[in-house]
């Protein structure tokens, strides 16, 4: 990594004991200077402070965090709209009916400035919306195609 690529990462909050290597890895991902929009889909055993660490990391970097608690698809979309409204400080939450709309909005966060979206417990969302991984792939492809058509020649 050149000096031009070096990024000063936020310091680990004092409320997080140990976890130096985990924090460094998270900061490496969340602070990637080349990413416009980055999406982290997380799963793992419960009761290992994963959520605590992810929340602190996204807060330190200005990213968007969502706990993917198991809920019906409609409820998950509503919760995500409310959280995104808080994050963007928009006056009203969007009324999404499909994951395609939601994922496009999340990826659009990176159009203004580099932004990371962290969805914790992603498998819980997939349990209620089995098509979500395919929809996510489609949203990512649309994002890539849009970047390819707007890239300078």
């Amino acid at each position: 990594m050149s000096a031009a690529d070096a990024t000063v990462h936020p310091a680990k909050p004092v409320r997080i004991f140990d976890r130096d290597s985990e924090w460094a890895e998270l900061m490496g991902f969340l602070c990637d200077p080349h990413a416009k929009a980055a999406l982290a889909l997380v799963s793992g055993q419960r009761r290992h402070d994963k959520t605590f660490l992810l929340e602190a990391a996204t807060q330190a970097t200005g990213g968007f965090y969502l706990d993917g608690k198991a809920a019906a698809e409609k409820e998950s979309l509503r919760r995500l709209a409310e959280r995104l409204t808080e994050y963007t400080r928009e006056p009203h939450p969007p009324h999404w009916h499909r994951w395609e709309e939601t994922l496009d909005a999340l990826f659009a966060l990176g159009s203004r400035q580099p932004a990371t979206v962290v969805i914790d417990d992603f498998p819980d969302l997939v349990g209620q919306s089995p098509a979500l991984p395919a929809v996510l792939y489609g949203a990512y492809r649309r994002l890539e195609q849009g970047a390819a058509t707007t890239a300078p020649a």
Side-chain angles (χ1 to χ4, degrees):
M1 178 185 311
S2 70
D5 290 338
T7 303
V8 177
H9 295 169
K12 184 181 71 167
V14 294
R15 70 181 189 270
I16 297 176
F17 178 73
D18 204 15
R19 298 290 183 102
D20 296 328
S21 63
E22 291 92 339
W23 183 263
E25 285 185 45
L26 277 171
M27 290 302 106
F29 176 76
L30 297 175
C31 297
D32 181 354
H34 300 98
K36 287 187 175 186
L39 177 65
L41 305 175
V42 183
S43 66
Q45 292 182 325
R46 301 206 185 274
R47 312 304 310 160
H48 287 259
D49 292 330
K50 163 183 54 80
T51 297
F52 181 69
L53 189 63
L54 290 168
E55 286 177 329
T58 53
Q59 183 178 17
T61 59
F64 176 78
Y65 173 86
L66 177 73
D67 179 357
K69 293 178 185 170
E73 184 173 307
K74 187 175 180 178
E75 175 66 13
S76 294
L77 293 172
R78 185 192 62 74
R79 281 186 48 246
L80 203 152
E82 289 173 357
R83 291 277 298 124
L84 190 62
T85 300
E86 291 170 16
Y87 179 78
T88 61
R89 295 187 176 107
E90 293 292 325
H92 304 287
H95 297 285
W96 294 314
H97 302 284
R98 301 180 357 240
W99 278 108
E100 289 87 351
E101 302 165 291
T102 306
L103 294 171
D104 287 343
L106 290 176
F107 280 131
L109 291 174
S111 66
R112 291 179 252 157
Q113 63 185 29
T116 302
V117 175
V118 175
I119 301 178
D120 194 2
D121 294 322
F122 182 70
D124 289 349
L125 291 177
V126 174
Q128 296 299 317
S129 303
L132 186 54
V135 173
L136 176 62
Y137 178 74
Y140 184 71
R141 295 287 294 157
R142 286 190 299 281
L143 178 69
E144 275 188 332
Q145 290 169 350
T149 59
T150 59

